Amino acid sequence: MNIETAQYLASYGIKPSVQRLAVMKYLLLNPVHPTAEHIYEALLPSMPTLSRTTVYNTLSLLAERGAILRLDLDPRQAHFDGNPAPHTHYVCTRCGAIFDAALQDLPPGSSPEGFTVSSTEVVHKGICKNCNRSH
Amino acid sequence: MNIETAQYLASYGIKPSVQRLAVMKYLLLNPVHPTAEHIYEALLPSMPTLSRTTVYNTLSLLAERGAILRLDLDPRQAHFDGNPAPHTHYVCTRCGAIFDAALQDLPPGSSPEGFTVSSTEVVHKGICKNCNRSH
DNA sequence: ACCTAATTTTGTAATTATTACAAATATGAA
DNA sequence: TTCATATTTGTAATAATTACAAAATTAGGT
């Protein structure tokens, strides 16, 4: 598993380290779009010397190289997604739950002239099943 | 103009005040997706007693009632859009410029079961014409 | 116009996510 | 091992936003 993760990182030109592997592995195994703080707290028990700064640095590096996505789903803090393939997100504005869905092919948009698109994010906000039920 | 703006606010169930009219008018006249700080600094010269808190409160109220949009385009701070109709945004990751475009009809997405969508945001990130030119 | 109640604004202080930075540690090549 | 480089750590700074209470404004009833 570590070897696989190391290969995955290598495919994005990222040198492995204990911390980088842990963060990447956490994102792959927990597809809940966690925040930096969430990841830090989850890893701390098994890596007591881990620093918050390392988590932030690592997430920035991973996102920069395209191994993960940094999602602006929430004005308060960034969420991260171990699946770098573009896809659609459904965000419950009541409980904060985040659901994935396949990204439908968007109709060709009329981008501003000369604009080169590098990534596309589609976010649907609303109320999830659970929150709908408990009116 | 103030009367029109007041009517506009009223149509969203918002009582007018000097500050609310100023913020709303600023957003309508300056469709550049400003931040709260940007609006505060722009209005300050003509309203020296204006408080930052009022700008934040007003923007929250306007967004809550649907008179404006709060956009999560940028992890650092929220941007606001005086046009509450859903539309697509193109964000230049080099210079920060934001362009509008009509929202293409999205193909019917497979929302998670029981999820009620209330708003949809489509953001394309990339490099704008100007930044492309100055390689 | 006046009084009172309710709403809105103001200013300061707190909160919170994130970044800057320098020292400490770990890694890899020679 | 030794030296140079890359990475991690911890603390302090930054910056957007919110909490909150006091001051000011507004609206309705007399």
Side-chain angles (χ1 to χ4, degrees):
Chain A
M1 180 66 193
N2 268 335
I3 293 171
E4 290 164 44
T5 309
Q7 287 170 344
Y8 181 76
L9 291 184
S11 75
Y12 286 97
I14 299 167
K15 287 192 237 171
S17 75
V18 176
Q19 292 84 350
R20 288 172 182 178
L21 288 169
V23 170
M24 187 69 238
K25 214 155 55 157
Y26 184 83
L27 281 167
L28 291 173
L29 293 175
N30 299 276
V32 295
H33 315 80
T35 64
E37 181 67 21
H38 186 134
I39 297 168
Y40 172 70
E41 281 169 18
L43 296 180
L44 198 56
S46 58
M47 308 181 64
T49 70
L50 181 66
S51 155
R52 231 178 286 261
T53 301
T54 299
V55 175
Y56 278 101
N57 287 342
T58 301
L59 290 169
S60 292
L61 179 71
L62 295 175
E64 213 167 77
R65 300 289 172 85
I68 67 174
L69 292 181
R70 181 196 301 266
L71 304 175
D72 298 340
L73 300 176
D74 168 351
R76 303 189 64 75
Q77 73 228 88
H79 290 257
F80 295 88
D81 193 331
N83 173 12
H87 54 283
T88 294
H89 293 101
Y90 290 83
V91 181
C92 179
T93 53
R94 194 161 301 157
C95 71
I98 301 170
F99 305 88
D100 287 322
L103 179 62
Q104 319 92 308
D105 282 331
L106 292 178
S110 49
S111 354
E113 198 222 320
F115 193 101
T116 317
V117 173
S118 61
S119 74
T120 295
E121 199 174 336
V122 178
V123 180
H124 302 279
K125 296 201 174 165
I127 306 292
C128 75
K129 188 180 179 180
N130 257 351
C131 292
N132 262 328
R133 190 178 310 148
S134 51
H135 69 50
Chain B
M1 179 68 194
N2 268 334
I3 292 173
E4 291 164 44
T5 310
Q7 286 172 344
Y8 182 76
L9 291 184
S11 75
Y12 287 98
I14 298 167
K15 288 192 240 172
S17 75
V18 176
Q19 293 82 353
R20 289 173 183 177
L21 288 169
V23 169
M24 187 70 239
K25 215 153 57 154
Y26 185 83
L27 281 167
L28 292 173
L29 293 175
N30 299 276
V32 295
H33 314 82
T35 64
E37 181 67 20
H38 186 135
I39 296 168
Y40 172 70
E41 282 170 17
L43 296 180
L44 198 55
S46 57
M47 309 181 64
T49 69
L50 182 65
S51 155
R52 228 178 290 260
T53 300
T54 299
V55 175
Y56 277 101
N57 287 344
T58 300
L59 291 169
S60 292
L61 178 70
L62 295 175
E64 215 167 74
R65 301 287 172 86
I68 66 173
L69 292 181
R70 181 196 299 269
L71 304 175
D72 299 340
L73 300 175
D74 169 351
R76 303 190 64 74
Q77 76 230 85
H79 291 256
F80 295 88
D81 193 332
N83 173 12
H87 54 282
T88 296
H89 293 101
Y90 290 83
V91 181
C92 179
T93 53
R94 194 161 301 156
C95 70
I98 301 169
F99 305 88
D100 286 323
L103 178 63
Q104 319 93 309
D105 281 333
L106 293 178
S110 48
S111 355
E113 197 222 321
F115 194 100
T116 317
V117 173
S118 61
S119 73
T120 295
E121 199 175 335
V122 178
V123 179
H124 302 279
K125 296 201 173 163
I127 306 294
C128 76
K129 188 180 179 181
N130 256 353
C131 292
N132 262 329
R133 190 177 310 147
S134 52
H135 68 45

